[in-house]
Amino acid sequence: MVRWNLLGHMLLPFLAINVITITTFDFLMDRLVLCCFNCLTAGYFLGTWPFQEHLTCSFTLVLRNFKISPSIASQTAQVFVRMTLIFMPFQYLGGTHRLQCDVELLLGLGRIRVTCDATGQPIDPTTTPPPVSDKSADDWGPYGDRLQFETAEFLFHNVEIGLWGNSLQADNIGTLPPFTDHKELYKTIDATQVGDVQWESFTLKYNGEQPNFWFWPAFSLVERLLANTDFDGKFDYTPYRDFAGKEQMQCYENFMSGDWVWTQADKIAVDPSTHGSTFIPIILGNDKTTVSVETGQSDYWPVYLSISNVHNNVWHAHQNAVELLAFLAIPKMAKKYTDDPMFQHFKKQLFHSAMTRIFSSLKDGMTMPQLMKCPDHHFCHVIFGIGPYITDYLDQVLVSGIVQNWCGHCLAFPNDLDSGGAPQTRDLTDTLADELLPAVAWNEWGVDVSIVPFTNNFPCADIHQLLAPDILHQLIKGTFKDHLVEWVGRYLELEYGKAEAKDWLADIDCCIALAPPFPGIHRFPDSCGFSQWTGDNLKALMKVYLPAIKGHVPDDMVQTFHAFLEFCYIVCQNVITDDTLKELKDTLQQFHLYRKIFQEVRVCPEGFSLPLQHALVHYEALIFLFSAPNGLCTSITESKHIMAVKKPWQHSSKHNALGQILWMNQCLAQLAVIDEENDEGLDLDENENAGIVDEQPGLAHSDVVLAHWPGEQCILCLQPKSEPGPPHPPPFTGHIKIFSSTIAMFVAPSDPSGIGSMHCECIHATPSWQGGPAQYDCVFDGMLGMEVAQVYNFSCTLVCWFDCIIDVPDELIGMWMVAPSFPDDSLHNLTVIHVESIVCNAHLLPIFGKEYVPSLVSCHNALDIYQAFYVNHFADHHAFKLVS
């Protein structure tokens, strides 16, 4: 025993010194830690209590503070767990309780969960998990077989009720369809037992009105999300810190790599009753679009719930990671009372009271571990916590209890937001409520102390810290559309008068309309005069707006847009590093510098104290807390809103529609659970390596697949010229197939993509697209360092090259400029390339100059008429990474 203690005291300083000296060498450090841990673990169980304590403290220091890869940390903790299972029956000198505490400490700091069986007892993590369901593989419940279930799922999702009479008829040989009518289909879905979580409601009475608040039990929704086997392999059970590159830069990607969740996990580790529990942050969000249900005085707006443990690509692929949680009633009064302070206060407190009631089922699980099944089929103890809240600024005012025009994150004054201020916190708000009069707190501190945020009723929840960044409303709709684009219109009016300003705006609209077709970009064939802008409209306008205004407005305005777009695209990257954050800060400084032009030309004479633009200042801190914002943003609730509210509303009778929407969502949930259970073990035959982006700068790989059928066939005769020189290829005469399109598949995690971050887009080369004009798309060629070419056909992939006009991007808008290549001063530079050298589509925008756009130009012939183009790296996030 003494030998083990002496050995331990000799080896521990050696281990600590070596770990500190080689922190920059990942491989050696990982192997050293793992080797020493394996050797000393046996000494732990055979040593005396002082040695056990020293060993635990040493490895706690190593695992907590040094840059050890998560896989090695997991392996070290798993070794400790296995030794625990072996030695637990023996009451070693440290005692069973001491061993349990050491296990839990190393598990928490080693970033690995405690795997349990169905009774909550710890087991070896490598143990084969229990099956997802006790049902047999061919048990499809009330549906009978897979065909009938898939038919039911397809019909319920895609077929209008009015089509039943014509579509469900017996065929020529008398075979009946799976369902005779919609009533039989609905009856079958209602008979589904799994996933059958019933809606609940409660009523709050005011002024004789009794609006109902409908909700699904939050505990049941979280339980359903955790048990979803589709998330296996795309789910983080513990916080982690990711470091990459020679300089060991910290990487922020999925939510669990952020600092906030790490801090919460540390709090869990301090409490002996929660040691070893998996932290499950609850993400909340709402959509401002109210759902009128013709119930007199009440409208409803939906609230959504998700969990932060799933990876960003799960949210991007819309893989049922977001659940509709509740419909909150919006009380209404007679018009004369709309602005009454008492009624406004009542509406706010009604919201917080309803949210407290809705989340009451999770409250116990925020302090006492709950045993739940996880995506990998194992069980573990979990602790819930209120996580980030995703919503726009006006609802942030409601949720956080601040005064409008103040910031929810800091105490900056509303007339000078950019000067910043001390952080807003829950403790500060509580102190103000105790010490100040409500009027003083309102006017001088921007806090409505009469409102108690619902998060105050739950542990470790500070709503001011939990206000998540909102890319759609803060950046795209707010700063870009409502501010910058509107300011351009006001500048033109101040500079040229209203009449001439309309002509300039019409010409800008023409420039925008001339943008050649590109996958994912909404076209503006007429103008940008939408009565209601959608998120897709706004994103498309951002991608083509910059070249359209160059020459129409001062250069500083163009650079303001350029800096802002750079900021947006940096924020939306899937992985953000320390270098990325430095770029983000520099870009924000440029934006603040160049936007002063709008103050100088009297468009914004009073400055820029605007909450939406001020929010940009907090993005760096929020990335530290919650990791990359492109996962945690309103797009995850927007897509759910379409499936859970808009489509059911469209399919409803519009009379008492809320009840129909609730029932449709319950049916969708039942179908989704059946699909998850019976998809277990299916081979999806997905090529996970397809489209991997190479780590070498400037190279990218993609899979390019030709169309299934050729557009036409022809006979080609090639006879080489009889001229001296190098040997010519032999003559060729034969049939060739001409394809009019191809599909390029590549990894684009920052863009809307599939579960494996795969994105696909069509490349066209056809003389007539959908019966209209020709469409010959441009592409990036990866063999020559991202050269741009226009494709004429896919028989031999005939392309026409473009040359760079100068060797640097345009200094105002940051885009490369190219022109068609004419090597002989007369003929296009045509080349046949291999189809597999194509990386993806390239988007070219004409360089318009200061003249009005000719009326004969359209988006279909712009590439033929104009002679110089910008390479639009704002076309999508993949192009931004390739070309920037």
Side-chain angles (χ1 to χ4, degrees):
M1 194 72 67
V2 175
R3 290 198 197 98
W4 280 110
N5 289 332
L6 291 175
L7 176 63
H9 287 289
M10 292 171 62
L11 287 177
L12 286 176
F14 174 80
L15 170 64
I17 292 172
N18 279 276
V19 168
I20 292 172
T21 56
I22 61 173
T23 53
T24 57
F25 300 93
D26 297 342
F27 179 81
L28 293 177
M29 179 179 159
D30 287 343
R31 292 305 176 267
L32 175 64
V33 173
L34 186 59
C35 178
C36 292
F37 191 93
N38 291 338
C39 294
L40 294 178
T41 298
Y44 178 94
F45 290 96
L46 297 176
T48 59
W49 179 84
F51 173 62
Q52 294 161 356
E53 183 177 39
H54 290 325
L55 182 60
T56 302
C57 293
S58 297
F59 272 98
T60 294
L61 176 68
V62 171
L63 293 174
R64 179 65 171 86
N65 294 314
F66 292 98
K67 301 172 181 179
I68 301 171
S69 65
S71 61
I72 296 299
S74 298
Q75 292 179 52
T76 56
Q78 287 179 17
V79 171
F80 200 90
V81 172
R82 294 191 183 98
M83 297 298 290
T84 302
L85 296 174
I86 295 173
F87 284 91
M88 184 67 81
F90 304 100
Q91 297 295 320
Y92 73 106
L93 295 177
T96 304
H97 177 72
R98 176 68 192 179
L99 175 62
Q100 181 180 359
C101 291
D102 289 345
V103 170
E104 291 168 344
L105 183 61
L106 285 170
L107 286 176
L109 297 177
R111 304 187 287 279
I112 182 172
R113 63 169 177 160
V114 178
T115 304
C116 304
D117 59 18
T119 63
Q121 296 300 314
I123 61 173
D124 190 327
T126 61
T127 303
T128 303
V132 178
S133 174
D134 296 331
K135 299 189 307 179
S136 62
D138 57 353
D139 184 1
W140 291 88
Y143 302 95
D145 55 30
R146 186 181 189 88
L147 175 62
Q148 191 172 18
F149 167 75
E150 291 183 346
T151 303
E153 188 177 35
F154 173 78
L155 293 175
F156 193 83
H157 277 278
N158 300 290
V159 179
E160 297 282 351
I161 294 177
L163 300 179
W164 282 100
N166 297 325
S167 61
L168 295 182
Q169 302 290 337
D171 59 18
N172 295 332
I173 61 175
T175 303
L176 293 174
F179 306 99
T180 56
D181 56 22
H182 65 281
K183 293 181 180 179
E184 183 181 354
L185 171 67
Y186 297 158
K187 184 178 179 180
T188 304
I189 297 176
D190 288 339
T192 305
Q193 298 299 318
V194 295
D196 190 14
V197 180
Q198 298 296 321
W199 287 93
E200 298 181 9
S201 67
F202 60 91
T203 301
L204 297 175
K205 184 176 181 179
Y206 72 96
N207 195 35
E209 299 292 335
Q210 299 186 26
N212 286 328
F213 293 78
W214 291 91
F215 67 99
W216 259 329
F219 185 92
S220 299
L221 292 185
V222 175
E223 187 176 37
R224 188 161 70 192
L225 287 170
L226 283 174
N228 190 338
T229 57
D230 288 344
F231 302 155
D232 188 20
K234 299 170 280 289
F235 190 96
D236 292 320
Y237 294 94
T238 53
Y240 66 94
R241 283 175 175 160
D242 193 10
F243 298 87
K246 296 180 179 179
E247 298 179 357
Q248 287 292 285
M249 292 184 297
Q250 187 165 355
C251 300
Y252 299 90
E253 183 178 5
N254 300 311
F255 183 87
M256 298 295 277
S257 65
D259 292 343
W260 177 82
V261 69
W262 188 284
T263 303
Q264 300 302 310
D266 283 349
K267 294 177 182 178
I268 292 173
V270 172
D271 187 349
S273 65
T274 58
H275 274 158
S277 299
T278 296
F279 182 48
I280 306 296
I282 308 300
I283 296 178
L284 304 174
N286 61 264
D287 193 293
K288 284 194 62 176
T289 305
T290 58
V291 183
S292 176
V293 293
E294 300 181 6
T295 55
Q297 294 295 317
S298 295
D299 285 346
Y300 291 82
W301 51 287
V303 179
Y304 301 97
L305 174 148
S306 184
I307 53 179
S308 304
N309 308 72
V310 297
H311 293 175
N312 290 351
N313 58 350
V314 176
W315 284 323
H316 289 172
H318 310 310
Q319 293 292 304
N320 296 321
V322 180
E323 295 280 2
L324 175 63
L325 172 64
F327 281 97
L328 301 184
I330 303 176
K332 291 186 177 181
M333 293 287 285
K335 191 172 183 179
K336 63 180 180 179
Y337 297 114
T338 301
D339 297 326
D340 183 84
M342 294 293 293
F343 180 64
Q344 293 295 326
H345 175 267
F346 166 75
K347 287 176 63 177
K348 293 177 182 179
Q349 199 56 58
L350 181 67
F351 165 81
H352 290 284
S353 300
M355 293 293 283
T356 301
R357 169 70 177 84
I358 289 169
F359 282 99
S360 60
S361 61
L362 290 177
K363 189 169 184 178
D364 288 343
M366 295 180 183
T367 53
M368 295 184 296
Q370 307 290 310
L371 185 65
M372 285 194 166
K373 199 170 188 178
C374 299
D376 64 355
H377 312 175
H378 282 300
F379 290 83
C380 69
H381 290 94
V382 304
I383 290 290
F384 305 125
I386 299 295
Y389 200 110
I390 310 172
T391 189
D392 65 5
Y393 175 73
L394 291 179
D395 286 335
Q396 286 183 0
V397 172
L398 168 66
V399 171
S400 61
I402 62 172
V403 178
Q404 190 167 341
N405 294 324
W406 286 71
C407 175
H409 293 287
C410 70
L411 293 172
F413 286 97
N415 58 353
D416 189 18
L417 286 173
D418 285 341
S419 294
Q424 283 269 23
T425 64
R426 171 178 171 176
D427 292 339
L428 175 62
T429 302
D430 292 342
T431 302
L432 294 176
D434 294 337
E435 302 295 335
L436 298 181
L437 294 174
V440 175
W442 179 287
N443 294 320
E444 298 183 9
W445 295 86
V447 176
D448 185 355
V449 295
S450 65
I451 299 298
V452 180
F454 76 95
T455 52
N456 286 17
N457 300 308
F458 301 95
C460 301
D462 185 345
I463 187 59
H464 299 290
Q465 187 183 43
L466 296 176
L467 295 175
D470 184 359
I471 293 175
L472 177 61
H473 295 103
Q474 290 173 347
L475 300 185
I476 300 175
K477 183 180 185 300
T479 303
F480 176 72
K481 173 61 175 63
D482 294 343
H483 295 166
L484 297 180
V485 173
E486 292 296 325
W487 292 351
V488 167
R490 285 158 58 183
Y491 161 75
L492 293 175
E493 288 185 2
L494 290 172
E495 184 70 15
Y496 301 106
K498 289 188 177 181
E500 191 174 352
K502 289 183 178 180
D503 294 336
W504 283 107
L505 289 172
D507 190 61
I508 292 175
D509 280 352
C510 289
C511 295
I512 294 171
L514 292 186
F518 187 84
I521 293 185
H522 177 89
R523 288 184 51 247
F524 304 91
D526 300 321
S527 69
C528 301
F530 294 100
S531 58
Q532 182 176 357
W533 285 80
T534 66
D536 289 339
N537 297 147
L538 294 170
K539 293 172 186 176
L541 183 63
M542 285 181 66
K543 297 174 181 180
V544 299
Y545 192 75
L546 196 53
I549 63 171
K550 185 182 177 183
H552 294 77
V553 297
D555 289 349
D556 279 2
M557 288 188 186
V558 177
Q559 290 186 316
T560 303
F561 278 89
H562 177 212
F564 175 73
L565 290 178
E566 291 279 343
F567 181 92
C568 293
Y569 277 71
I570 292 173
V571 162
C572 291
Q573 291 183 18
N574 188 56
V575 180
I576 295 179
T577 66
D578 294 336
D579 282 350
T580 311
L581 290 172
K582 185 178 182 301
E583 293 177 20
L584 190 71
K585 184 183 295 185
D586 293 342
T587 304
L588 182 59
Q589 291 176 351
Q590 292 178 12
F591 172 69
H592 287 161
L593 174 65
Y594 288 119
R595 73 173 177 178
K596 293 179 182 178
I597 183 65
F598 290 103
Q599 188 173 14
E600 295 170 1
V601 297
R602 307 183 310 281
V603 172
C604 300
E606 298 179 358
F608 308 97
S609 191
L610 303 166
L612 294 179
Q613 290 194 30
H614 170 68
L616 275 64
V617 176
H618 295 292
Y619 267 66
E620 182 181 7
L622 293 174
I623 290 171
F624 284 129
L625 289 177
F626 304 134
S627 200
N630 84 323
L632 189 69
C633 64
T634 46
S635 63
I636 67 175
T637 56
E638 288 276 329
S639 59
K640 186 65 177 180
H641 185 70
I642 294 173
M643 293 300 300
V645 178
K646 288 186 177 180
K647 286 188 176 180
W649 165 258
Q650 293 168 358
H651 294 168
S652 71
S653 66
K654 310 300 186 296
H655 176 67
N656 292 329
L658 180 61
Q660 300 170 55
I661 293 174
L662 298 177
W663 173 78
M664 290 182 195
N665 276 277
Q666 188 156 331
C667 291
L668 291 172
Q670 291 170 305
L671 290 169
V673 173
I674 288 285
D675 198 17
E676 292 164 13
E677 286 191 351
N678 289 277
D679 275 350
E680 174 66 15
L682 291 179
D683 183 10
L684 299 180
D685 192 26
E686 180 179 356
N687 183 6
E688 296 183 354
N689 295 321
I692 297 297
V693 177
D694 199 293
E695 294 182 356
Q696 301 178 30
L699 293 179
H701 296 162
S702 63
D703 286 347
V704 182
V705 182
L706 290 172
H708 291 295
W709 297 279
E712 59 180 302
Q713 299 188 37
C714 64
I715 299 177
L716 179 65
C717 297
L718 294 177
Q719 184 67 38
K721 296 180 180 179
S722 56
E723 297 178 355
H728 295 284
F732 171 82
T733 301
H735 290 270
I736 64 169
K737 298 177 180 179
I738 299 177
F739 294 85
S740 59
S741 65
T742 186
I743 296 291
M745 295 177 290
F746 47 88
V747 170
S750 299
D751 289 302
S753 53
I755 196 66
S757 298
M758 294 297 298
H759 179 83
C760 65
E761 60 187 25
C762 187
I763 304 173
H764 302 92
T766 175
S768 177
W769 172 243
Q770 295 184 344
Q775 182 171 338
Y776 296 102
D777 290 342
C778 296
V779 297
F780 289 114
D781 180 84
M783 298 298 293
L784 298 176
M786 296 304 143
E787 293 288 337
V788 178
Q790 186 177 14
V791 182
Y792 284 139
N793 67 62
F794 289 106
S795 58
C796 305
T797 315
L798 180 65
V799 300
C800 172
W801 293 108
F802 288 80
D803 291 335
C804 287
I805 297 176
I806 56 177
D807 294 335
V808 293
D810 181 85
E811 62 178 0
L812 290 183
I813 65 177
M815 295 182 182
W816 290 92
M817 296 179 289
V818 297
S821 176
F822 296 95
D824 297 329
D825 296 329
S826 59
L827 301 175
H828 282 285
N829 186 5
L830 299 175
T831 308
V832 174
I833 64 173
H834 199 289
V835 69
E836 292 184 1
S837 69
I838 294 176
V839 175
C840 61
N841 274 298
H843 195 218
L844 301 187
L845 296 173
I847 299 177
F848 296 104
K850 298 183 179 181
E851 295 78 16
Y852 285 107
V853 174
S855 58
L856 58 90
V857 185
S858 71
C859 65
H860 302 290
N861 59 18
L863 292 174
D864 299 323
I865 294 179
Y866 282 90
Q867 298 300 311
F869 305 89
Y870 292 115
V871 181
N872 184 15
H873 64 287
F874 294 123
D876 56 29
H877 298 286
H878 187 243
F880 184 77
K881 292 285 287 185
L882 285 177
V883 185
S884 295

